[in-house]
Amino acid sequence: MGKGWSSWFPLMVVVMMFLHVNLINGEDPYRFYTWNVTYGDIYPLGVTQQGILINGQFPGPLIQCVTNENLIINVFNNLDEPFLISWNGVEQRRNSWQDGVYGTTCPIPPGKNFTYVLQVKDQIGSFYYFPSLAFHKAAGGFGSINIASRSVIPVPFPPPAGEFSILTGDWFKQNHSDLKAILDGGHDLPFPDGLLINGRGSNGYTFTVDQGKTYRFRISNVGLTLSVNFRIQGHKMMVVEIEGTHTVQNTYDSLDIHVGQSYSVLLTADQPAQDYYIVVSTRFTSQVLTATSTLHYSNSAGSVTGPPPGGPTIEIDWSFNQARSLRRNLSASGPRPNPQGSYHYGLINTTRTIRLANSAPIINGKQRYAINSVSFIPADTPLKLADHFNIPGVFTLGSIPDSPTGSGAYLQTSVMAADFRAYTEVIFENLEDSVQSYHIDGHHFFVVGMGRGEWTPASRLTYNLRDTISRSTVQVYPKSWTALYMPLDNVGMWNIRSQNWARQYLGQQFYLRVYSPVNSWRDENPIPSNALLCGRTSSRGTMHQ
């Protein structure tokens, strides 16, 4: 061999070893994003207000990815205050470090950046991201997350001709800082000023379709307070997926979507070639807000005609019945090539029952909201970091009871202890007159039952233990209860919260610490090397801790 070969040989060995290791690992693809978060003027309801833009966009850019892909999202905070983004419904397997709520993650300081490294592990479906601090969600900063199945996994419907993401919900004309000041002053928010569809008020958005073709609409309620009903004039919608679960493909004239929830529907453009109303209206409110967009046939012979189609308003039984009609497609594959129904959730004995009751107490003369009489207050240090560094005095396990106590409400940094791989029954009990909506980070749960009045052990006789859907956000109707079965299969510190953002902000949330004594990287990822430190962790380093 010549001298040139001998000098290249060691480098080639290293390259071959690198390729060999990576081929064995079969590492999933990476997608890279750079987001610049700024303030900017927006006019969604015709008045100028301060919006939160991502790369100049309101709403923010779409994340389109595939099961198991790694997302590297470098977020530059160009606001004048700390900022965080959370990923509604993305489970963050073994990785609550990336969850992007204050209980797990230090805020990104003004003028600084943080790179989220997260994997959409074993998930498909429709989700969204949003800003989780302060009252930033009232200013924008949200966008859609669509996770497609891998090409080798069959999907239980033909590929649609196209997809549309719809972000809808209530909106206020006041700036987010003014709304926050109202809440800080001990008052509830006023009634919203309107509804938005993809950041615009009525008649501000057009969706173009070709006659005869079928399209997928992914719809998320990213509003602050109100449930909405979604419908499309002259067309039926087939529900095919809810927050990562393929569903029995029932058709509906209209669909209730509660705060924080996401649905996928198929719509076939099988009507005469003209334009049709897409309508969103509020539910369970005496004053009904409505917003419209346009479904435009590409060969349209005319504009929209007649009034927008009306929908349900205050009828709760109608919504109850629709919720019970949503079922899991037992023959469909999930993110992996096995039937979703192969996990027989109804045949596993639960090891613990947690009953959670919401309330709206006045504490120290100010309006607060509570779960089991505890109104959450943030600690001076993210709970996950305090737990990792074993810093005493930040929170106490068991600082929220497993059941309603009926005692007076109080302020507390509430954290509930839970064991890894436990199988838990959770009952949300709503004694109030307004519909509630709850989200559990890091998990999906099986919605086994809903009922009027008070939950009792006898209510279990009504549970659906065969083909209910699993999801991450669920509604609880007024003077009613909702029951879940939840596998605690994800180690970490996880936020359980009201999706009504005023109630969340004023204390209707807590954290569930899912704990494994093994302390193994198999159960939980190590603290990221780029983790931001704040509060009582400011002087510590992240490496080798």
Side-chain angles (χ1 to χ4, degrees):
M1 294 183 188
K3 183 179 178 183
W5 171 255
S6 61
S7 63
W8 276 102
F9 185 73
L11 178 60
M12 290 187 67
V13 169
V14 171
V15 170
M16 294 290 287
M17 289 175 61
F18 175 81
L19 289 173
H20 179 68
V21 168
N22 277 275
L23 286 170
I24 290 174
N25 288 343
E27 192 168 21
D28 292 289
Y30 283 75
R31 290 180 188 259
F32 295 87
Y33 303 84
T34 300
W35 286 358
N36 287 298
V37 179
T38 60
Y39 288 127
D41 287 344
I42 58 174
Y43 319 85
L45 293 179
V47 299
T48 304
Q49 56 190 128
Q50 185 186 62
I52 292 178
L53 313 180
I54 300 179
N55 294 349
Q57 300 177 44
F58 167 72
L62 166 70
I63 292 178
Q64 185 82 51
C65 56
V66 177
T67 301
N68 287 0
E69 288 186 338
N70 299 281
L71 309 181
I72 313 300
I73 306 171
N74 192 359
V75 178
F76 287 84
N77 176 17
N78 294 305
L79 308 183
D80 58 2
E81 56 186 327
F83 185 77
L84 273 179
I85 288 183
S86 190
W87 321 91
N88 202 77
V90 176
E91 290 183 6
Q92 311 287 358
R93 305 301 304 173
R94 305 185 300 120
N95 201 16
S96 64
W97 308 106
Q98 308 290 340
D99 201 30
V101 291
Y102 181 65
T104 62
T105 313
C106 287
I108 308 169
K112 302 294 184 181
N113 71 300
F114 175 72
T115 301
Y116 290 89
V117 180
L118 51 104
Q119 185 182 28
V120 288
K121 179 71 173 171
D122 289 339
Q123 285 191 266
I124 59 163
S126 309
F127 309 97
Y128 65 90
Y129 59 86
F130 68 96
S132 64
L133 287 186
F135 217 62
H136 290 158
K137 193 181 178 192
F142 44 72
S144 296
I145 304 172
N146 298 341
I147 308 174
S149 295
R150 288 172 289 170
S151 58
V152 296
I153 307 297
V155 174
F157 48 88
E163 286 195 0
F164 300 102
S165 292
I166 293 182
L167 299 171
T168 187
D170 54 23
W171 193 258
F172 294 83
K173 291 180 179 178
Q174 294 110 307
N175 283 341
H176 70 95
S177 53
D178 297 331
L179 297 173
K180 179 177 176 292
I182 292 172
L183 297 173
D184 289 341
H187 307 288
D188 201 359
L189 294 180
F191 192 72
D193 295 299
L195 299 177
L196 302 188
I197 298 174
N198 287 355
R200 303 178 188 179
S202 277
N203 307 316
Y205 214 93
T206 298
F207 301 86
T208 300
V209 297
D210 292 336
Q211 191 174 27
K213 295 183 178 179
T214 297
Y215 296 82
R216 182 175 186 169
F217 285 77
R218 299 177 185 258
I219 313 147
S220 296
N221 183 345
V222 297
L224 297 171
T225 61
L226 299 178
S227 303
V228 299
N229 181 267
F230 180 89
R231 51 198 181 273
I232 300 178
Q233 182 184 24
H235 294 74
K236 292 189 179 296
M237 300 174 290
M238 177 186 291
V239 175
V240 294
E241 175 258 328
I242 300 174
E243 295 166 23
T245 297
H246 288 309
T247 62
V248 172
Q249 295 172 8
N250 295 328
T251 56
Y252 300 87
D253 293 320
S254 70
L255 198 60
D256 277 357
I257 305 177
H258 305 277
V259 181
Q261 293 184 339
S262 299
Y263 286 76
S264 273
V265 303
L266 295 181
L267 174 139
T268 300
D270 56 3
Q271 298 302 303
Q274 63 175 64
D275 293 355
Y276 297 88
Y277 283 111
I278 296 174
V279 188
V280 180
S281 60
T282 55
R283 288 288 269 124
F284 320 118
T285 58
S286 54
Q287 176 188 349
V288 178
L289 300 174
T290 301
T292 59
S293 287
T294 301
L295 183 74
H296 170 70
Y297 278 44
S298 59
N299 60 338
S300 174
S303 58
V304 291
T305 58
T313 53
I314 60 172
E315 304 89 340
I316 291 176
D317 285 342
W318 185 97
S319 193
F320 248 119
N321 290 335
Q322 184 177 86
R324 292 183 177 124
S325 73
L326 303 171
R327 299 296 177 97
R328 171 180 297 259
N329 186 337
L330 294 179
S331 63
S333 290
R336 296 176 301 279
N338 63 305
Q340 295 190 93
S342 65
Y343 181 39
H344 298 296
Y345 69 92
L347 300 179
I348 303 170
N349 291 327
T350 57
T351 54
R352 180 180 179 185
T353 295
I354 300 170
R355 294 170 50 212
L356 302 171
N358 49 274
S359 59
I362 303 296
I363 302 177
N364 300 329
K366 292 187 174 183
Q367 178 67 65
R368 297 288 301 185
Y369 296 96
I371 298 176
N372 288 358
S373 300
V374 187
S375 186
F376 182 86
I377 50 173
D380 60 10
T381 303
L383 310 178
K384 180 64 184 168
L385 291 178
D387 200 22
H388 173 75
F389 289 115
N390 199 24
I391 299 173
V394 177
F395 69 90
T396 303
L397 289 174
S399 43
I400 179 171
D402 274 24
S403 300
T405 62
S407 61
Y410 55 95
L411 304 174
Q412 180 74 45
T413 304
S414 37
V415 180
M416 185 179 288
D419 294 328
F420 181 43
R421 295 203 174 102
Y423 193 59
T424 305
E425 177 186 38
V426 179
I427 298 107
F428 288 110
E429 303 179 13
N430 180 14
L431 305 178
E432 297 182 68
D433 292 323
S434 58
V435 66
Q436 306 290 312
S437 186
Y438 285 98
H439 179 84
I440 300 178
D441 277 354
H443 296 80
H444 273 58
F445 46 72
F446 300 90
V447 185
V448 293
M450 294 179 176
R452 292 292 196 106
E454 185 176 347
W455 180 89
T456 68
S459 304
R460 294 181 176 126
L461 298 175
T462 68
Y463 284 4
N464 174 1
L465 299 181
R466 180 176 182 271
D467 64 350
T468 191
I469 57 170
S470 61
R471 63 188 316 167
S472 59
T473 300
V474 71
Q475 73 273 22
V476 193
Y477 292 104
K479 299 289 190 352
S480 301
W481 55 268
T482 296
L484 326 170
Y485 281 0
M486 186 169 75
L488 299 181
D489 56 1
N490 202 5
V491 172
M493 186 77 70
W494 302 109
N495 190 225
I496 298 180
R497 62 175 176 268
S498 172
Q499 293 283 57
N500 178 313
W501 218 238
R503 298 182 78 108
Q504 177 273 153
Y505 181 78
L506 292 180
Q508 195 169 310
Q509 60 170 309
F510 68 96
Y511 282 81
L512 186 73
R513 179 187 184 250
V514 180
Y515 177 71
S516 169
V518 176
N519 193 26
S520 165
W521 287 7
R522 186 182 62 187
D523 293 341
E524 184 177 30
N525 291 353
I527 185 171
S529 59
N530 70 330
L532 298 173
L533 299 178
C534 56
R536 303 189 205 181
T537 68
S538 297
S539 61
R540 298 173 183 258
T542 57
M543 297 301 290
H544 311 300
Q545 297 287 344

